[in-house]
Amino acid sequence: MTIATQPTGQRLDRGAMESLYEETFRNFEEGTIVEGRIVAIGKDKIVVDIGYKSEGLIPLEQFSQEELSHLKVGDRVQVYIEDTEDSEGNLVLSKEKADKMKIWEDLEKIFKEEKNVEGKILSKIKGGMMVDIGVKAFLPGSQIDLHPVRDLDGLIGKVFPMKIIKINHRRGNVVVSRRVLLEETRDRNRQTTLANLKEGQLIQGTVKNITDYGAFIDLGGIDGLLHITDMSWGRVGHPSEMFQISDRVEVTVLKYDRETGRISLGLKQKTADPWTNVATKYPIGTRVKGKVVSLTDYGAFIELEPGVEGLVHVSEMSWTHEVRHPSKVVSIGDQVEAAVLNVDPGNRKISLGMKQTAPNPWDVVETKYPAGTRIEGKIKSLTDFGAFVGLDEGIDGLIHISDMSWVKHIKHPSELFKKGQKVEAVVLRIDKEKERLSLGYKQLTRDPWEDEIPARFHVGDTVSGRVSKVADFGVFVELEGGVEGLIHVSETRMEPSGRLEETFKLQDEVTAKVIKVDREERKIALSQRDHHADMESRQVDEFHASQGSVDQSLGRAAKQRKRTKSDDE
């Protein structure tokens, strides 16, 4: 065979020929990627010619089903040289490794050029997520979103644009971030939003977060606060009653502070304030209907329309009963009828009355039960200060504790009455304005203090009786006729260190001196001390009187002895 000659026309020797032949394979090194041509397709392998001294073999399993369906002899393919010569002298090639190396090359180029990649989230792993970007990459938990993600499982299978933030081909290590792109998008949107933001403008947003005091709305890269008080003219118990996360909402910009970046938003401001026309819509005396929306200790709030509420004070709920708490009369959600008592648009207040929708029974009582009328009723309740008696009209009258007895000191109404007991009483006075009916029990009988008691008990009299009550300030003694007198603690004979309840027992017999009878105050004051002093004084007088009688007898006897002696002489 004749081969090419050198310019000098000299024939190449065998050594030069071999050197030239080896030169043709110098670029085919293990671990490099070259392009080859498919020369044959077998049952389990594909034969590829890369221009080497022998063809290489690639297993069919390294091709996808889609690739195999289009594969034909003559196609060009990128291959990786694993071994230039195995034990059998064959060239070993790999398409799979060539593909991976190509992916790594592309990823490194993307990383250097700071471009984005599409990543499919595969699974949740410790510290974050595993992502497929052509190779498996790590997405740290802090780089998934702008805010912590609670449901990581919900992201599996989803595809997001990401940015490579770290890559090491030799170690097969790639770290990606979705947050970086979100921050870039947010910053761009924020600049656009802030450049166009004005107070009073309407703007679309997305509910990003809900708290007890309001909802944060994403306006496009920047958040604004829609406070609960600016959500509705009506009552809102919690923002979640009106919104859910991701809801789209149109709001009004109420205030934008460019220094702090704070944005206050409003929703109710999109409609007119319903309090503007309440004075003409709800004039005093108007009958209205509404729903009970709130209860407090002092009354019930009634919603007349969204944003307009009126208060029914507990004192305006019933003509005939003292309402201690509105829950005794109404419940939240009840539909009620009321009358407008007062309207204050400036302070956004409407006073309502429920009892005004029914006839006032005090109009009847005032004419039916004039002062001095005897009535009959049942004891409805007992308090420390008196007993309430129910009348047929549903009105309660009060027998005050001071009007229960002319002669006894009543400490508690239970000493005379029991709940449910039928009693007679006398109407003392009626106060229609304050809705009070005063009754008297002792007035059923004649006042013994007018003449009977003053005629029976006089200052200086010694009286006896039994202990009926022991108080901190003295002892009450029941005297003849049921009248009570008081021995003040200073008028007892008790030692200074003693205690009344230990010295005096109920029903003990006590004797004392009357030191005061007060008809106006209806009181009899007694004194043990004065009585004892009087007794001692009488005893001394009796002693002196008895001593004088003895002296007189002795004198008469001496005179008699003297006369007898004279006679004898």
Side-chain angles (χ1 to χ4, degrees):
M1 179 177 69
T2 303
I3 62 174
T5 62
Q6 293 182 346
T8 59
Q10 299 176 349
R11 184 184 298 274
L12 291 174
D13 59 16
R14 185 178 180 82
M17 251 181 94
E18 290 179 354
S19 177
L20 185 62
Y21 179 73
E22 289 296 331
E23 182 70 18
T24 62
F25 303 115
R26 187 168 58 190
N27 293 327
F28 297 101
E29 297 179 0
E30 295 176 5
T32 60
I33 297 176
V34 297
E35 187 176 74
R37 183 174 61 86
I38 298 175
V39 296
I41 300 175
K43 290 184 178 181
D44 57 355
K45 293 182 179 179
I46 292 177
V47 182
V48 178
D49 178 18
I50 63 170
Y52 193 56
K53 59 184 177 181
S54 62
E55 286 85 10
L57 303 176
I58 301 175
L60 279 178
E61 62 190 26
Q62 292 189 13
F63 293 84
S64 67
Q65 291 296 322
E66 184 179 356
E67 288 174 328
L68 288 173
S69 64
H70 297 91
L71 207 61
K72 62 183 182 296
V73 174
D75 285 350
R76 309 296 291 184
V77 62
Q78 295 281 329
V79 294
Y80 174 84
I81 302 175
E82 290 195 82
D83 198 341
T84 54
E85 191 174 332
D86 62 8
S87 58
E88 298 179 359
N90 296 320
L91 175 65
V92 182
L93 304 174
S94 172
K95 175 185 176 297
E96 188 176 59
K97 289 186 178 180
D99 289 344
K100 287 186 177 179
M101 286 191 70
K102 181 65 169 61
I103 290 173
W104 279 101
E105 289 177 2
D106 292 343
L107 292 177
E108 287 177 341
K109 184 179 179 182
I110 290 171
F111 175 65
K112 289 178 182 179
E113 296 178 355
E114 297 185 353
K115 294 182 179 180
N116 301 338
V117 294
E118 291 289 319
K120 182 178 181 180
I121 298 180
L122 301 176
S123 62
K124 183 170 65 175
I125 60 174
K126 183 178 180 180
M129 310 291 284
M130 183 65 71
V131 180
D132 180 10
I133 59 171
V135 297
K136 289 185 177 180
F138 176 57
L139 174 61
S142 61
Q143 298 298 316
I144 296 175
D145 206 328
L146 295 172
H147 305 282
V149 180
R150 295 181 180 179
D151 183 19
L152 293 177
D153 292 328
L155 298 177
I156 295 175
K158 293 184 177 180
V159 178
F160 299 101
M162 300 180 186
K163 181 161 281 190
I164 299 172
I165 58 176
K166 185 177 180 182
I167 186 168
N168 189 322
H169 184 186
R170 189 174 62 178
R171 293 187 177 183
N173 183 20
V174 183
V175 181
V176 296
S177 170
R178 177 171 173 255
R179 177 172 180 159
V180 171
L181 297 180
L182 293 175
E183 287 176 343
E184 292 175 357
T185 302
R186 179 188 63 185
D187 291 342
R188 286 194 301 269
N189 292 338
R190 175 184 293 159
Q191 296 304 320
T192 303
T193 301
L194 292 179
N196 301 316
L197 199 64
K198 297 178 182 178
E199 292 183 3
Q201 80 175 93
L202 292 175
I203 187 170
Q204 290 282 342
T206 304
V207 178
K208 186 176 182 180
N209 190 27
I210 294 176
T211 68
D212 290 340
Y213 55 86
F216 286 92
I217 312 297
D218 182 357
L219 304 175
I222 189 168
D223 295 344
L225 174 61
L226 174 58
H227 197 271
I228 188 171
T229 57
D230 289 311
M231 290 182 176
S232 172
W233 293 112
R235 182 182 293 267
V236 179
H238 193 275
S240 59
E241 296 175 8
M242 296 191 65
F243 302 107
Q244 292 182 344
I245 302 294
S246 299
D247 281 354
R248 292 287 295 172
V249 60
E250 185 180 57
V251 290
T252 301
V253 178
L254 301 181
K255 186 177 181 181
Y256 171 37
D257 189 330
R258 294 186 180 275
E259 292 184 3
T260 62
R262 292 180 179 175
I263 302 173
S264 298
L265 305 173
L267 181 64
K268 70 181 184 182
Q269 288 78 5
K270 292 172 60 179
T271 58
D273 184 352
W275 280 89
T276 305
N277 300 314
V278 291
T280 55
K281 193 173 182 179
Y282 303 105
I284 294 174
T286 305
R287 291 278 187 98
V288 294
K289 291 184 178 180
K291 182 175 71 172
V292 179
V293 292
S294 178
L295 298 178
T296 67
D297 291 340
Y298 54 84
F301 285 93
I302 312 299
E303 183 183 58
L304 305 181
E305 62 178 84
V308 179
E309 294 178 8
L311 172 66
V312 180
H313 194 271
V314 287
S315 62
E316 303 296 343
M317 288 187 168
S318 174
W319 289 116
T320 59
H321 299 90
E322 181 183 359
V323 181
R324 296 185 178 275
H325 195 276
S327 59
K328 302 294 183 182
V329 180
V330 294
S331 301
I332 291 179
D334 286 354
Q335 291 288 333
V336 298
E337 185 179 16
V340 177
L341 305 181
N342 189 40
V343 180
D344 184 355
N347 292 312
R348 307 174 79 86
K349 292 181 179 179
I350 296 179
S351 298
L352 303 173
M354 289 171 56
K355 68 184 184 183
Q356 286 78 5
T357 61
N360 186 353
W362 287 95
D363 293 335
V364 178
V365 170
E366 192 174 32
T367 56
K368 186 176 180 180
Y369 302 108
T373 305
R374 286 201 175 199
I375 59 96
E376 186 178 80
K378 286 186 178 181
I379 301 292
K380 296 190 69 176
S381 62
L382 300 175
T383 67
D384 291 340
F385 55 84
F388 285 94
V389 180
L391 305 184
D392 292 339
E393 289 73 19
I395 289 177
D396 295 343
L398 174 65
I399 304 176
H400 193 269
I401 197 167
S402 62
D403 289 310
M404 291 185 178
S405 175
W406 291 114
V407 296
K408 290 186 178 182
H409 175 76
I410 305 298
K411 193 172 183 180
H412 194 276
S414 58
E415 297 175 24
L416 290 179
F417 306 114
K418 292 181 179 180
K419 188 176 179 180
Q421 175 184 345
K422 279 189 176 182
V423 296
E424 275 191 320
V426 175
V427 176
L428 302 181
R429 55 195 166 273
I430 296 176
D431 188 336
K432 181 182 174 182
E433 296 301 320
K434 294 182 179 180
E435 297 178 1
R436 292 177 181 173
L437 175 62
S438 298
L439 302 175
Y441 182 72
K442 68 184 183 183
Q443 287 81 0
L444 292 170
T445 59
R446 185 168 173 273
D447 184 359
W449 282 93
E450 291 182 1
D451 48 29
E452 181 182 340
I453 291 176
R456 189 190 309 166
F457 298 99
H458 305 90
V459 174
D461 289 352
T462 298
V463 294
S464 295
R466 295 188 179 276
V467 175
S468 57
K469 292 183 188 66
V470 179
D472 294 336
F473 52 86
V475 180
F476 287 94
V477 179
E478 185 175 345
L479 306 175
E480 181 185 358
V483 181
E484 281 187 339
L486 173 66
I487 305 175
H488 193 268
V489 63
S490 61
E491 298 296 335
T492 66
R493 297 187 61 230
M494 183 180 67
E495 295 294 330
S497 60
R499 299 176 62 184
L500 287 173
E501 61 268 23
E502 293 177 355
T503 305
F504 297 92
K505 304 297 181 183
L506 293 178
Q507 299 302 313
D508 280 357
E509 183 77 29
V510 176
T511 302
K513 180 181 179 180
V514 177
I515 58 175
K516 186 178 182 181
V517 178
D518 191 330
R519 177 183 292 181
E520 297 298 324
E521 294 291 328
R522 292 177 169 79
K523 292 180 180 179
I524 296 178
L526 306 175
S527 175
Q528 255 191 335
R529 189 164 51 83
D530 285 5
H531 170 63
H532 185 70
D534 288 350
M535 288 182 59
E536 287 183 340
S537 178
R538 284 196 298 271
Q539 289 174 354
V540 170
D541 290 343
E542 289 175 359
F543 173 76
H544 287 314
S546 62
Q547 285 296 107
S549 299
V550 171
D551 290 343
Q552 289 179 2
S553 298
L554 289 175
R556 285 195 298 272
K559 289 180 180 181
Q560 183 63 39
R561 285 195 300 274
K562 188 175 181 179
R563 285 196 298 271
T564 303
K565 185 177 179 181
S566 298
D567 292 342
D568 291 342
E569 290 176 353

